[in-house]
Amino acid sequence: MQKRVLGIVSLLVLISISSFSCGENSSKDSSQRKYTIASVGKIEGISWFIRMREGVEKFKNDTGHDAFMLSPAQADAAQQVQIVENLIAQGVDAICIVPFSPEAVEPVLKKARDNGIKVIVHEASQQQNADIIIEAFSNYDFGQKMAQYLVNIMGDKGELANFVGSLTSKSHNEQQDGVEAFLKNYPGIKLVSRRNEDYDDSTKAYEKTKELLTTFPNLTGIIGSASTTVPGASLAIDERRLQDKVTIVGVATPLDAKQYLDSGAADIIALWDPAVSAYAMNLIAVKLLNGETIEDGEDLGLEGYNKLRKDTNDPKLFFGEAGLFLNKDNASGYDF
C-alpha cells in the first residue's frame, strides 16, 4: 500500500539545551537557600534520559542548587525503588522522578514524603504519593494527535500494531487510550496486535516488529509511545524495504530517529523535550521547598510550560503544552 502524505503541518517549537528560556523564576531561586534535588529516570544510557540529565545539569549551573540525576541500569521497578530508598537515606530535599511503574514506587514515595522530602512526578498522572505531578501535556490528547498523523499518512484502511514501554507505564498507556479512541472513527483500520511491550529497549522493539511482520503480512501501521519503539521498528522496516508499505508514528528523539526519517521508514516522531521537563520539575521542587504553591495558569518561564493547566479532579496534577510533532524536514533542527 503506497503511503500518502496529506500536507502534514508540524508543530515546531525550537528548543535547544543552550538556549531554552528559564524566565525570572530561575534567577529568583538562585538567590535563595540552596537545596539538594535528585532526579530519577527510568533507565540509564538511552537518549531520552541522557537528554533529561542535560536539563538537570543546566538547572544546577543556572541556579547553584545541588541537582543531580540517577537512573537504574535496566528498566526495572525494583532498581528504581532502591535508588529512591538510597536518596531517602541521604536526606535529599526533593526527588523528581519518572516512574517505571507508578504502583511499585508508591510505598517508597510515601516514605520519602513522610521524611519531609518533596516529591515531583513526571509521566505518571495518577501517582498518589506526589506533591506535584507535572505532565508535558494531556497524554490522551497527545495520543489522539499521534493517531491523526498516522491516518493522514497511512489512510483510513489497514492493519495496525501499537507499542508501549510496558503495561505499567501510565503515560504510555494513556497515550494509547487516546490513539485507540481516535481510531474508532476509522472502522477500516484494524488493531491486529495491541500494546506490545518493548521495555524501553530498541532491540526488543526491533525483534517484536520482525515477529509482527511475519505474523501479520498485511501490517500497514505502527504507533508507539516508548522512545525506543520508532528506532527499533524502523530498523526492521528498513531491512525488509517496507518503507512505502508501513507507516510509523511514535515518540522518539530526533537524533535516534533521523536516519529512519531520512530513509522513509519512520514518518512522524512525537515528543517533548525531556531536558525542559527536567528543568520544570526542578523549578517546581524549589518553589515547594520555599513554601510556595503551584497555581492554575502558573508560568514557569519555560517554553511549553508558560501557562500550566490544573486538572479539574486532582489538584496536584498540572499539564503544559509542550508537545512536538516532527518529520524529516524539520527534525534536523534539534540537537538531541
Side-chain angles (χ1 to χ4, degrees), residues 6-266:
L6 304 180
I8 295 166
V9 178
S10 297
L11 307 178
L12 183 60
V13 182
L14 186 59
I15 302 169
S16 71
I17 194 66
S18 61
S19 64
F20 69 75
S21 170
C22 303
E24 297 179 357
N25 298 310
S26 300
S27 59
K28 178 181 177 182
D29 296 337
S30 64
S31 64
Q32 298 173 346
R33 175 186 164 189
K34 304 305 179 187
Y35 298 110
T36 300
I37 305 171
S39 294
V40 182
K42 288 184 181 180
I43 184 170
E44 192 66 56
I46 67 171
S47 295
W48 193 266
F49 291 104
I50 291 171
R51 175 65 171 176
M52 182 166 278
R53 186 186 301 278
E54 292 175 3
V56 173
E57 291 174 351
K58 179 168 173 55
F59 177 83
K60 177 180 181 178
N61 293 335
D62 286 350
T63 67
H65 292 290
D66 181 15
F68 59 94
M69 183 168 173
L70 301 169
S71 299
Q74 290 87 33
D76 179 79
Q79 289 187 33
Q80 196 177 51
V81 167
Q82 188 57 57
I83 288 174
V84 178
E85 287 279 12
N86 293 342
L87 293 171
I88 294 170
Q90 292 171 32
V92 299
D93 295 302
I95 295 172
C96 303
I97 185 169
V98 183
F100 178 72
S101 168
E103 291 85 356
V105 295
E106 285 287 15
V108 75
L109 294 185
K110 180 180 186 303
K111 181 178 178 180
R113 297 181 74 207
D114 288 346
N115 278 269
I117 297 170
K118 298 298 184 184
V119 174
I120 297 84
V121 170
H122 181 54
E123 292 192 59
S125 63
Q126 296 177 349
Q127 196 81 53
Q128 296 303 304
N129 286 289
D131 291 282
I132 292 290
I133 303 166
I134 178 69
E135 298 292 89
F137 37 68
S138 161
N139 284 302
Y140 184 90
D141 293 347
F142 188 71
Q144 291 217 318
K145 290 176 183 177
M146 285 200 293
Q148 177 68 75
Y149 280 102
L150 178 85
V151 172
N152 284 350
I153 301 168
M154 188 180 82
D156 58 5
K157 294 181 178 63
E159 294 187 356
L160 177 69
N162 61 352
F163 277 77
V164 293
S166 75
L167 293 175
T168 65
S169 179
K170 291 295 185 185
S171 61
H172 295 181
N173 285 279
E174 287 170 350
Q175 289 172 24
Q176 292 304 320
D177 287 344
V179 167
E180 292 173 16
F182 184 87
L183 293 176
K184 288 180 180 178
N185 299 312
Y186 298 91
I189 297 178
K190 183 180 179 183
L191 186 59
V192 295
S193 185
R194 185 172 183 265
R195 305 210 184 184
N196 298 278
E197 296 176 283
D198 71 13
Y199 300 98
D200 297 283
D201 185 328
S202 59
T203 300
K204 287 184 172 62
Y206 165 74
E207 295 293 346
K208 187 61 182 180
T209 301
K210 289 198 297 181
E211 291 177 21
L212 290 169
L213 292 169
T214 299
T215 306
F216 305 103
N218 295 318
L219 191 71
T220 52
I222 293 172
I223 188 164
S225 291
S227 66
T228 45
T229 299
V230 167
S234 296
L235 177 58
I237 295 304
D238 268 347
E239 287 182 349
R240 299 198 184 193
R241 299 182 181 180
L242 295 174
Q243 297 93 335
D244 290 333
K245 179 184 177 183
V246 180
T247 297
I248 295 182
V249 174
V251 174
T253 63
L255 285 182
D256 278 352
K258 183 182 185 307
Q259 71 184 92
Y260 303 114
L261 289 167
D262 289 344
S263 74

